[in-house]
Amino acid sequence: MSAAKKTPKVKDTPKNPRIGILIADDHSVLRQGLVSLIGFEADMIVVGEASNGREAVDLWRQQRPDVILLDLRMPELDGVGVIKQIRADDENTRIIVLTTFDGDEDIYRAIQAGAKGYLLKDVPREALIDSIRRVYAGETCLPVHLANKLAERIRGGSVSEREIDVLKLMAQGKSNKEIGSVLFVSAGTIKSHVKSIFAKLNVNSRAEAVANAAHRALIQL
Amino acid sequence: MSAAKKTPKVKDTPKNPRIGILIADDHSVLRQGLVSLIGFEADMIVVGEASNGREAVDLWRQQRPDVILLDLRMPELDGVGVIKQIRADDENTRIIVLTTFDGDEDIYRAIQAGAKGYLLKDVPREALIDSIRRVYAGETCLPVHLANKLAERIRGGSVSEREIDVLKLMAQGKSNKEIGSVLFVSAGTIKSHVKSIFAKLNVNSRAEAVANAAHRALIQL
DNA sequence: TGTTTACTCCCCCGAAAAGGGGATTGGAGA
DNA sequence: TCTCCAATCCCCTTTTCGGGGGAGTAAACA
């Protein structure tokens, strides 16, 4: 079950294999930063750069990197989609999510999908390099406050898919009746959903629910 | 009124002065990316790196760079604050805002405060380098869609400070009466504010107003 | 100077939301 | 199997919202 069972596709020095890394981020400046940082490490090498999700999957199939640094917010195919596709092919792939936002929902979905690490982009470089080595070694790597958020998210009871549908329409200013017509159920049903949403988010108005849900990245605005 | 009236503090080659650049961003990876990218340009040099707003102002005072690449979201002192402080000292300073978000309000406030350029972090490297040269040369540099947003924002009529106060409290789920008590005015007054907020944001419910305001970065969630 | 604009306050009224209760179905898990 | 829970629907009441109108003050701007 070693990650390197498929001989790493590093073109040189077969006697000193380096950790092959694939970078997937739509921000070219950030990609450059990662390439540059990793370039300082003798035991690592960047084997590919993708600027969107589809490219990331393609490059992964070609290069079979040891570790993937993945942004969640990307065009074409988002990070969670990338994780799912890649792990459908090889569930041992080491994926580190590297993102700006720390909305609960993003973390949760990434970890659910099989990410082994989750870092915020403001990590100092040592922590980043350290995480790559640890995830490559098979460890799971989560900053403390993110682990806490995960725990909290599990404690708090999850908001169901249906409730998120309702939340999205709520954020568009729709009334219960309007939401009902969109979702083909009665306004009363929506009312019940709204009540349970309030309970789960611990809020007491639609406006607050929208603010809270956006903050938790349950919905995108 | 030349930007280089204060002889650039580049330590070498006085006969071939390079554009001195200060980078201010709390994401170390991104800073590294910028340093690396700028390193490829013969006519540019990074004279300092700041990881928060206060550092940025301090470094600016020491180094007097020709151009500043500035993130708006930073700890200690935010980007707009940095712009204001620096331009209070020298209103000719060339500042390029480089940020992830394109909420109308951020752009507006940065430009108001005196930024000469505004780039999103997903710009290709050529565009970034080009913008640095152009802003150094005295031009103002805004991507088309950002310029459009600015125009739209001016057309749409600005949301007043008071209205933003109301919006913030609205996002906390407070009723008109509750908002009134917090702001020491009557519920009827709040109602008037809410009405004009709806008109300005072109929405028709509190939930939608909160979503819209967050999207425009009028309020932070 | 006059005009605009932000902020404050008031009226009315119908529709919607908030908060409480209960009930049924069907599926997932103990 | 039985229990839990999501999802659906219904009842009730009180409060808030949203849309309509008008109006006064003070400050800023032309």
Side-chain angles (χ1 to χ4, degrees):
Chain A
M1 286 295 174
S2 150
K5 65 180 178 185
K6 301 178 174 65
T7 42
K9 293 284 191 305
V10 185
K11 303 121 213 167
D12 54 351
T13 56
K15 68 178 295 189
N16 183 22
R18 294 195 267 182
I19 305 177
I21 299 170
L22 173 62
I23 295 172
D25 197 308
D26 57 327
H27 292 173
S28 62
V29 179
L30 213 126
R31 284 203 309 273
Q32 179 64 39
L34 290 170
V35 170
S36 176
L37 284 179
I38 291 169
F40 293 134
E41 306 301 316
D43 58 341
M44 300 180 186
I45 187 168
V46 176
V47 299
E49 287 183 53
S51 60
N52 66 57
R54 204 167 306 286
E55 247 183 77
V57 176
D58 291 345
L59 275 173
W60 177 80
R61 294 214 168 103
Q62 287 171 35
Q63 305 286 343
R64 293 285 167 149
D66 299 306
V67 176
I68 306 176
L69 293 180
L70 183 69
D71 188 7
L72 282 189
R73 311 280 173 109
M74 280 190 300
E76 301 291 324
L77 178 64
D78 81 330
V80 175
V82 174
I83 298 177
K84 284 181 181 162
Q85 287 206 16
I86 288 180
R87 287 183 63 90
D89 275 26
D90 176 5
E91 61 176 11
N92 290 310
T93 311
R94 271 85 164 143
I95 300 173
I96 299 178
V97 170
L98 186 65
T99 197
T100 312
F101 310 97
D102 58 350
D104 310 21
E105 194 62 16
D106 280 345
I107 309 172
Y108 183 74
R109 287 174 56 218
I111 300 295
Q112 278 285 33
K116 294 299 181 191
Y118 194 112
L119 296 175
L120 295 180
K121 282 181 182 169
D122 56 0
V123 286
R125 45 161 303 179
E126 304 80 31
L128 172 68
I129 297 297
D130 185 51
S131 297
I132 294 175
R133 290 215 180 85
R134 288 170 60 182
V135 168
Y136 174 69
E139 293 180 52
T140 298
C141 198
L142 278 185
V144 191
H145 73 283
L146 290 187
N148 290 343
K149 282 203 174 185
L150 252 187
E152 186 183 346
R153 138 92 210 218
I154 290 162
R155 257 202 2 258
S158 54
V159 178
S160 70
E161 282 302 313
R162 196 55 159 176
E163 287 161 350
I164 289 179
D165 292 340
V166 174
L167 269 169
K168 284 177 182 165
L169 294 163
M170 243 164 62
Q172 291 166 27
K174 292 193 162 41
S175 72
N176 290 340
K177 198 197 293 179
E178 289 171 324
I179 297 174
S181 352
V182 174
L183 300 181
F184 302 109
V185 296
S186 79
T189 300
I190 303 303
K191 217 172 158 182
S192 299
H193 287 314
V194 171
K195 273 193 283 192
S196 64
I197 288 170
F198 285 5
K200 286 177 180 174
L201 298 186
N202 191 31
V203 300
N204 48 35
S205 85
R206 313 192 135 214
E208 196 179 0
V210 167
N212 192 298
H215 186 234
R216 293 196 187 190
L218 286 169
I219 58 175
Q220 278 75 44
L221 297 182
Chain B
M1 284 297 177
S2 153
K5 66 180 179 186
K6 299 176 175 67
T7 42
K9 293 284 193 301
V10 185
K11 303 121 210 166
D12 55 349
T13 56
K15 66 177 296 189
N16 182 22
R18 294 195 267 182
I19 306 177
I21 300 171
L22 173 61
I23 296 172
D25 196 307
D26 56 329
H27 292 174
S28 62
V29 180
L30 211 126
R31 284 203 309 275
Q32 180 63 39
L34 291 170
V35 170
S36 175
L37 284 179
I38 292 170
F40 293 135
E41 305 302 316
D43 58 341
M44 300 180 185
I45 187 169
V46 176
V47 298
E49 287 183 52
S51 60
N52 67 55
R54 206 168 305 289
E55 247 183 77
V57 176
D58 290 347
L59 275 173
W60 177 79
R61 295 213 168 102
Q62 287 171 36
Q63 304 286 343
R64 293 285 168 149
D66 299 305
V67 176
I68 306 176
L69 292 180
L70 182 69
D71 188 8
L72 281 189
R73 312 279 172 108
M74 281 190 298
E76 299 291 324
L77 178 64
D78 80 331
V80 175
V82 173
I83 298 177
K84 284 181 180 158
Q85 287 206 17
I86 289 180
R87 287 184 63 89
D89 275 27
D90 176 5
E91 60 175 12
N92 291 310
T93 311
R94 270 86 165 142
I95 300 173
I96 298 178
V97 169
L98 187 64
T99 197
T100 311
F101 310 98
D102 60 348
D104 310 20
E105 195 61 18
D106 280 346
I107 309 171
Y108 184 73
R109 286 173 57 217
I111 300 295
Q112 278 286 28
K116 294 300 183 193
Y118 194 109
L119 296 175
L120 296 181
K121 282 180 182 169
D122 56 0
V123 287
R125 45 160 306 181
E126 305 79 32
L128 172 68
I129 297 296
D130 185 51
S131 297
I132 294 175
R133 291 215 180 87
R134 289 170 61 180
V135 168
Y136 174 69
E139 293 180 51
T140 298
C141 197
L142 278 184
V144 190
H145 73 284
L146 291 187
N148 290 343
K149 282 203 175 187
L150 250 187
E152 187 182 345
R153 138 94 211 216
I154 290 163
R155 258 202 4 257
S158 54
V159 178
S160 72
E161 282 303 311
R162 196 55 161 176
E163 287 161 350
I164 289 178
D165 292 340
V166 173
L167 268 168
K168 284 177 184 164
L169 293 163
M170 244 164 61
Q172 291 164 28
K174 292 192 163 40
S175 71
N176 290 339
K177 198 198 292 180
E178 289 171 323
I179 296 174
S181 357
V182 174
L183 299 181
F184 303 109
V185 296
S186 81
T189 300
I190 302 303
K191 214 172 161 181
S192 299
H193 287 316
V194 171
K195 272 193 284 192
S196 63
I197 289 170
F198 284 5
K200 286 176 180 175
L201 298 186
N202 191 30
V203 299
N204 46 35
S205 85
R206 312 189 141 222
E208 197 181 358
V210 168
N212 191 298
H215 187 234
R216 294 195 188 191
L218 286 167
I219 58 175
Q220 279 75 42
L221 297 183

